[in-house]
Structures are given as C-alpha cells and as structure tokens.
Amino acid sequence: MSNDRNTLHKEKNSELSELQGSTLRGILGSIAGMIVCVLVMLVCVLCQAGSLSITLQLFAGMVIGWFYRRFRGRRSKAVAYATVGICTALACVLWVVLLVLLPVFASSAQVTATDWGKLWKDACELLLLCAGMGGISFFLTRKHLLAYADWKRGPWHVAYAGGNGLSYNLLPETLPAKNPPACFAVHSRVAPGTRIIVEDDSLRWQRRFRKDRVFSVRDIAGAVLGPGSGCNVLYDKNYQVLATFAGSMEHADLMLLYLLQQEIPMDNVPAGWRSPDKAGPELKPAESSGVQRQFTLRLKRSARMGFTGLGWFLLLIGLAFFLLIDISALTKARRAAILFPELVVMGMGIVCLRMGMACQVEADGEKMRVVSRFGRAAEFSVRDVSSVSKGAGWIVLYDKEFKTLAKVDSYLEDIDKLKEYLESYGIKM
C-alpha cells in the first residue's frame, strides 16, 4: 500500500515538474530564437532589404517567446520575462554588431586602430536605438508569453486578450428556451475555419493548420467568459486552454447553455441566464388558427426596383459600347480586351434582373420552398427546421443536425408573416 502511494506521489511530482517547465530549457529556447532572428535580419541586409530587417526587430520578441514556449521554459513570470526580454534586446543589438564587423571579416586588408575606432563610433549610434526596439518588441508581443508563464491565470489572460474587435464576444442577454441537441457545432458566421463540434459528452476543437483537439466534458474544469473585445475560454484542471470561442459565432448561445447544464463553473455569468428543465419536454408546435400557412413572400419593392434598375443600367452600358465602338477595325488583342469586360458587365446585368424576380419564400401547409437570389431552390418540411439564426442580410434555417437547410433573404416583404409561421411550429426566429 505504501509503495502505491509513493508511486502515485512520484507521478504527481513528475507531472507538476513537467507542467512548470525548466529554466535551462527556456534559456536554450530563447538563445535558439535569438540566433534565428539574427540570421534572418542579416539575410535581409545582404539581400539589400535593410528597412525590412529594422521592421523585423518588432517581431523578435514574439519569435523568441515562441521558442521559449516550444522548449517548455520555466512557467514563472519573472524567469520568462527576464530570459525572453534579455535575449530580445541581445538579438536586436547583436545583429548590428555583426553587420558592422561583416566588412572586417570580408576584407583581406589589415584593420588599424583608427578603423576600429570608426567602426565602434558607427555601432554606438545604432546600438541604443536597436536596444530600444528590442524593448518595444518585447512589450508589444508579451501577451502570449504572459499566458504561458502565469499559467494559473493563463485562461484569463487569453480571454481578455484573444478577441477580434469590440463586438467580437458580445454575450446574449438570455439563453435559448430549448435544450441544445445532442450534436451541434459552434463556428464563425462569416469565414470557415475554427469551430467546436459537440457530440453528447465529447467535444472536438478544429483549427486551421493545427491538429484537432478532442476532449470530454469531464475534462473541462471551468470556463472564462471574456469581455466584448475578448473571447471565451475552456480550460482543464491544469489551467491549460482546451478551446476558445466567441459570442458572435453561430450557436455560441447553445454552447453556453450546454456548459450551464453540465454545471461547468463559469466566470462573469450574466444574471439573466436561466436553463430550461433538462428533463422537461421540448417545445411543441402551437396550433393557431389565426396563423396563415399558405403564402408567398418576395423581396421588398424597393429591393426589386433596385436590382431591376441596376440590371437594366448594366445591360444598356454594355449595349452602348457595342454600338459606339467599331469592332471590325480593332485588332484581335484589342477586340478580346474589350469584349471580355463587356460580356462580364452584361452578364452581371442579367444576374441582377434575375435576383429581383427569383428570390422568394413559399409556404404551403408544412411544406416550404426557399429560392435564393441566384435562383437556387430548396424544398423541405417546416418540421425539419430545428433552429433559426440571423446574420448579415440573411436568416439561416438549420435542421436537427445543425446543417443549413436554406438562407432566407432578410429584405423580404412581410417578414413578420414568416416569423409567425415558424413560431406556430415552436421555432423562434
């Protein structure tokens, strides 16, 4: 029994020692990063890109800090700041010294004391400036190093510094009244890339150019809800970041409700958040005789007139050029150079005319037909719709697996009619 305790104690000490890192490895990593920075700046000078080498000094702190983290340096704020800060300043100074001494090593002539004095005078004018650039570089790029060194506060540092604009992480005032499905994904509304896939108790954090991170809900020790300019961070028992997401992402409200129902400790939880009964029945369609279930919605008249006017304008512009220019008198190269943009302009005019006429939403009982601006039609049952989200110019309908069923243009006339129709089936818009 005592042997088992000793073994367990040794394993815990070994895990803690590996987590805290090593001062020696941190120094070696910083020196490696310093060498890389010096070589890159010297190469820029040899390639006659001296201004670029000066600009690269502002990124020296970031590169050396990255090497410090890769080499698993000591997770102490004082040690990390001292090591990376000194190596950053040395890197910005050392490349200037090597740059001044490079003509000496390349020349076969003997260097006199006068020459050494001149070289030293030239170097002194730049050393102080470059040392200051190194300090500025370290100050501007220290946030990732701070999140690594102050590891017990790392998730908070990431949450308050990992945003992308003032409204990137605006949290909802209330959470959905419907329990989240067994499978859903949190992803950006605009650009594809980073996303979190939730499947029952398993979560997968997918990132571009990085390996996926898979973990269980039981691995989450807590969550930090950052400000509007930050992000939300999930971390484990060792305060290591498991995943990050923002309140502006698609289905972020479902993720927050999921964490609340799993009783994950969260910082800065808004007072208005409430969780529906986990075992309670899901919302059922409310049959209302006053709700119209057969209708057709088209674009607003102003939008149709705008697309139609723009389409006819582009078509007339294209035709006018055909009538004013004598195509037969032009060479083949000039003819191709004129005809190609003309055809593009006329094609855009035809597309604009089609946009004004094609875009619509049809409802016939439980059947729905959504036609996009470009004429792409999607037919499905309203009971297949699981949730609705509003984006920039679009209302997106999702199925039970949170795949996109259709995108409805938000500039449709009588949009409240569609809202009432969906709410009659328990779908809040």
Side-chain angles (χ1 to χ4, degrees):
M1 188 73 175
S2 60
N3 291 334
D4 294 338
R5 288 181 178 178
N6 291 334
T7 303
L8 182 61
H9 184 67
K10 289 180 180 179
E11 290 178 353
K12 287 184 177 180
N13 288 337
S14 176
E15 182 180 355
L16 183 61
S17 176
E18 181 64 25
L19 184 65
Q20 291 181 343
S22 168
T23 303
L24 179 60
R25 290 203 302 267
I27 294 173
L28 293 175
S30 299
I31 292 174
M34 182 179 65
I35 294 172
V36 170
C37 291
V38 170
L39 292 176
V40 170
M41 286 186 283
L42 285 176
V43 169
C44 290
V45 173
L46 294 176
C47 295
Q48 297 182 353
S51 58
L52 179 60
S53 62
I54 295 174
T55 306
L56 289 177
Q57 291 181 92
L58 295 175
F59 300 95
M62 181 178 65
V63 174
I64 295 174
W66 184 84
F67 273 91
Y68 184 91
R69 300 195 304 272
R70 292 302 97 187
F71 276 68
R72 306 296 298 175
R74 183 73 176 177
R75 287 197 151 184
S76 168
K77 185 177 177 180
V79 175
Y81 271 35
T83 305
V84 176
I86 291 172
C87 288
T88 302
L90 285 177
C92 294
V93 170
L94 186 59
W95 84 275
V96 177
V97 175
L98 294 177
L99 180 63
V100 173
L101 295 178
L102 192 61
V104 177
F105 297 135
S107 177
S108 58
Q110 186 176 1
V111 181
T112 62
T114 306
D115 296 332
W116 282 112
K118 185 178 179 181
L119 290 174
W120 173 252
K121 183 180 179 180
D122 294 338
C124 287
E125 295 177 356
L126 294 174
L127 289 179
L128 186 60
L129 175 62
C130 291
M133 291 282 286
I136 295 173
S137 170
F138 172 72
F139 179 79
L140 294 177
T141 59
R142 74 190 190 284
K143 65 178 183 179
H144 295 291
L145 182 64
L146 178 61
Y148 173 82
D150 192 10
W151 61 284
K152 289 189 176 181
R153 296 291 302 172
W156 283 263
H157 293 308
V158 174
Y160 280 80
N164 190 20
L166 294 177
S167 59
Y168 179 67
N169 190 38
L170 289 181
L171 300 176
E173 295 181 359
T174 58
L175 296 180
K178 187 177 180 181
N179 292 322
C183 177
F184 63 93
V186 182
H187 55 87
S188 173
R189 298 177 186 270
V190 181
T194 301
R195 63 176 180 169
I196 302 175
I197 300 175
V198 180
E199 296 180 359
D200 295 326
D201 294 337
S202 177
L203 293 89
R204 179 186 295 272
W205 188 27
Q206 293 182 341
R207 296 168 291 175
R208 280 187 174 181
F209 312 115
R210 295 186 184 181
K211 186 178 179 181
D212 293 354
R213 180 175 296 172
V214 181
F215 55 94
S216 170
V217 68
R218 293 182 294 274
D219 298 330
I220 305 175
V224 182
L225 306 182
S229 58
C231 64
N232 307 313
V233 180
L234 308 180
Y235 61 91
D236 62 10
K237 62 180 181 179
N238 294 324
Y239 300 96
Q240 303 300 295
V241 176
L242 293 173
T244 62
F245 66 98
S248 60
M249 289 185 173
E250 195 73 56
H251 307 140
D253 54 349
L254 290 177
M255 185 67 180
L256 295 168
L257 177 59
Y258 175 80
L259 296 174
L260 192 66
Q261 290 186 340
Q262 296 294 333
E263 299 180 354
I264 302 297
M266 290 189 287
D267 283 0
N268 307 323
V269 176
W273 284 10
R274 296 289 184 273
S275 173
D277 186 7
K278 204 172 183 182
E282 294 187 351
L283 295 174
K284 294 182 179 179
E287 297 294 337
S288 175
S289 57
V291 177
Q292 190 173 354
R293 302 183 185 279
Q294 188 172 7
F295 55 86
T296 300
L297 303 182
R298 299 182 183 276
L299 283 177
K300 294 180 180 179
R301 184 176 180 181
S302 58
R304 294 200 306 269
M305 291 178 63
F307 281 120
T308 303
L310 180 60
W312 280 114
F313 175 76
L314 293 175
L315 284 175
L316 291 176
I317 288 291
L319 290 173
F321 272 99
F322 274 120
L323 294 175
L324 294 175
I325 297 175
D326 187 5
I327 302 296
S328 60
L330 299 177
T331 62
K332 289 184 178 180
R334 291 185 177 181
R335 193 181 303 170
I338 292 176
L339 287 178
F340 179 74
E342 286 301 314
L343 292 175
V344 170
V345 169
M346 295 184 69
M348 291 174 59
I350 295 173
V351 170
C352 289
L353 289 174
R354 181 171 175 79
M355 282 182 179
M357 296 182 294
C359 185
Q360 63 181 12
V361 174
E362 298 178 6
D364 185 7
E366 294 185 358
K367 294 182 180 180
M368 289 188 66
R369 184 173 184 268
V370 179
V371 183
S372 68
R373 290 180 179 179
F374 297 98
R376 183 178 297 177
E379 297 183 2
F380 50 89
S381 172
V382 68
R383 295 186 182 276
D384 296 332
V385 181
S386 174
S387 64
V388 180
S389 68
K390 294 182 179 180
W394 299 103
I395 300 172
V396 187
L397 308 181
Y398 297 94
D399 62 10
K400 296 179 180 179
E401 296 181 354
F402 280 81
K403 296 180 180 179
T404 302
L405 284 172
K407 288 186 177 181
V408 179
D409 199 300
S410 59
Y411 294 100
L412 293 174
E413 59 184 2
D414 297 331
I415 197 70
D416 291 337
K417 189 180 295 184
L418 177 64
K419 181 179 180 181
E420 293 175 358
Y421 172 74
L422 294 175
E423 287 181 351
S424 68
Y425 288 92
I427 305 164
K428 290 192 174 183
M429 181 170 141

